[in-house]
Amino acid sequence: MERHPHLPDDSARRHEWRAEYRPECREALRPELHGLRRAAYRLRLRFGRRGASAETHAVPPPEYTDYHADYLPARLLPVMALCALVLAALVAFDVAAMEPMNDKALAAVRGGDGVSFDLSGFRMDGDARLTYTAQPGRSMYSEYLSASRSDSAQPFADPYRIDIVNGAPGLADVIRLDMPRNADGAQKWQFAYDWGVSADGIDSYGGAVLLKDLVLYGGGWQFSTPRTRDGVAFGAAVRMEIGQLALRANGRNEAQGQMAMDGIRIGAVDNAGNFTGQPWVIADVAAQPGSIDAVAQNGGPRLHIGIAWPDAQYGSGQAPQGGIQIDKISFTNPGGGVIDFGSSRIGSVQIQYLDIKFRP
């Protein structure tokens, strides 16, 4: 094995590679090697070389103009090895199979899992006020919203997911927000806010609303383009449990005089009214779309929220069944006594049609 003139005596490993590589590949890759050699030289020019100026290397020296690879500096041989492997892969690839994509083909490309995100350790507190004004001087407000979430021992193990999926045949694509499945019920939300009403120059404080241990099990939201009008079409499915919903007239820190509902449960039910463990589909963008839009009424636009009749073309033609259960309804007297009104249950409820218009 002949020692290469640019390699030191103890560089047998690199020398052995050249002895195996040169006989088979040098002639076949001569034009590519020449291009890579010139590119490597330009790379050396960019970073500079000790004791040399840019003008000295504005063009390759005469020994670099030959196609032969023997004159490559030793420190470029590992780079040449990598480039040779890349070139071999390109030669093996069927370049004829690569064709430009038109707009239609590009629009048919779909992603994988969309976007996943987690709200581990989420907490929010503030003194902002949200006001809905029905008429000048008459409004309802909510303020001092606080929210927090407790989590499982493994953050991001059960995230939220946003994805764009194909709609039903003939309908637009759908933006889908899927809630965590939360099978162990470890993700629990806590909410609180104050509210009040202002009318005829009088501000009336309504108290505070508290939600304790709100647990969501799957379900989510859908958003798409309405079929026949402007606005937004939506779908919603929910399965939830609430530890307690409390209405406190004297503020969020005062339990005296509150009305509380404990053990609230909402979800899908079967024909016998038994909970199935699945989310209740309140609206679906194809089978029973909800809508948010503006309608003209009494000479002005009105905010409109509705749910259409069940559509037999894209579904069963029947509205899904849901159940609502409350384990305990109670009032706490200012003196400290508690009046227990017992439990309440709606075995089966269906939304066949909904039409709500907000107007002065």
Side-chain angles (χ1 to χ4, degrees):
M1 183 180 297
E2 181 181 0
R3 186 179 67 84
H4 192 275
H6 292 290
L7 295 177
D9 294 336
D10 58 350
S11 57
R13 182 177 181 184
R14 284 185 286 178
H15 184 62
E16 182 180 357
W17 173 82
R18 280 189 53 82
E20 295 177 358
Y21 164 73
R22 284 182 53 193
E24 295 82 6
C25 302
R26 187 180 62 191
E27 294 299 326
L29 297 177
R30 176 179 293 180
E32 290 80 6
L33 291 173
H34 178 64
L36 288 171
R37 184 163 56 254
R38 295 179 66 89
Y41 183 80
R42 288 192 295 269
L43 182 64
R44 293 171 59 203
L45 173 63
R46 181 177 179 181
F47 287 98
R49 200 163 67 177
R50 182 182 302 176
S53 64
E55 291 76 9
T56 303
H57 304 290
V59 295
E63 62 269 23
Y64 280 81
T65 58
D66 185 20
Y67 286 116
H68 205 282
D70 291 346
Y71 298 100
L72 287 175
R75 60 178 175 270
L76 292 180
L77 291 177
V79 178
M80 292 296 301
L82 179 61
C83 294
L85 293 176
V86 174
L87 286 172
L90 290 175
V91 172
F93 186 74
D94 185 6
V95 181
M98 299 178 62
E99 298 179 358
M101 298 179 65
N102 56 31
D103 291 342
K104 182 178 180 180
L106 187 62
V109 175
R110 290 292 181 269
D113 298 329
V115 177
S116 298
F117 65 95
D118 196 15
L119 297 176
S120 177
F122 177 88
R123 183 175 183 84
M124 179 182 71
D125 294 282
D127 57 358
R129 172 182 287 197
L130 178 64
T131 303
Y132 169 71
T133 302
Q135 293 179 347
R138 297 183 179 182
S139 62
M140 181 174 64
Y141 65 89
S142 61
E143 60 183 0
Y144 298 112
L145 172 66
S146 65
S148 62
R149 195 185 87 168
S150 57
D151 302 285
S152 61
Q154 296 180 341
F156 214 87
D158 192 11
Y160 295 80
R161 290 182 172 86
I162 298 178
D163 202 358
I164 299 177
V165 299
N166 292 330
L171 300 182
D173 290 350
V174 177
I175 300 174
R176 190 175 68 191
L177 170 61
D178 295 330
M179 300 291 183
R181 296 188 180 277
N182 200 16
D184 57 357
Q187 297 182 3
K188 297 182 179 181
W189 286 93
Q190 316 295 328
F191 291 97
Y193 66 90
D194 294 2
W195 69 281
V197 175
S198 297
D200 300 327
I202 300 174
D203 291 335
S204 177
Y205 175 67
V209 178
L210 284 78
L211 279 81
K212 296 182 178 180
D213 295 336
L214 168 62
V215 184
L216 299 171
Y217 297 93
W221 292 87
Q222 303 169 320
F223 299 97
S224 188
T225 304
R227 303 179 199 175
T228 58
R229 61 173 69 184
D230 294 332
V232 177
F234 72 88
V238 60
R239 178 191 169 203
M240 72 167 63
E241 295 180 2
I242 302 175
Q244 185 184 75
L245 170 61
L247 307 177
R248 296 184 174 179
N250 299 315
R252 65 181 65 185
N253 296 320
E254 181 55 69
Q256 302 298 324
Q258 76 171 8
M259 184 189 94
M261 292 178 284
D262 297 273
I264 302 174
R265 187 178 182 186
I266 301 174
V269 297
D270 57 21
N271 292 330
N274 301 312
F275 285 103
T276 64
Q278 299 298 319
W280 174 27
V281 180
I282 300 174
D284 183 271
V285 291
Q288 192 178 11
S291 61
I292 302 175
D293 52 20
V295 297
Q297 188 178 48
N298 298 330
R302 302 288 182 263
L303 176 63
H304 171 246
I305 299 176
I307 297 177
W309 292 95
D311 191 335
Q313 179 181 359
Y314 297 104
S316 63
Q318 299 293 324
Q321 300 179 87
I324 302 174
Q325 176 179 305
I326 303 174
D327 292 338
K328 179 181 177 181
I329 302 175
S330 63
F331 286 89
T332 303
N333 297 324
V338 177
I339 300 176
D340 188 350
F341 286 87
S343 62
S344 178
R345 177 182 173 89
I346 301 176
S348 180
V349 57
Q350 295 173 288
I351 299 179
Q352 299 291 344
Y353 181 78
L354 179 67
D355 186 55
I356 302 174
K357 296 183 178 68
F358 295 86
R359 58 187 179 85

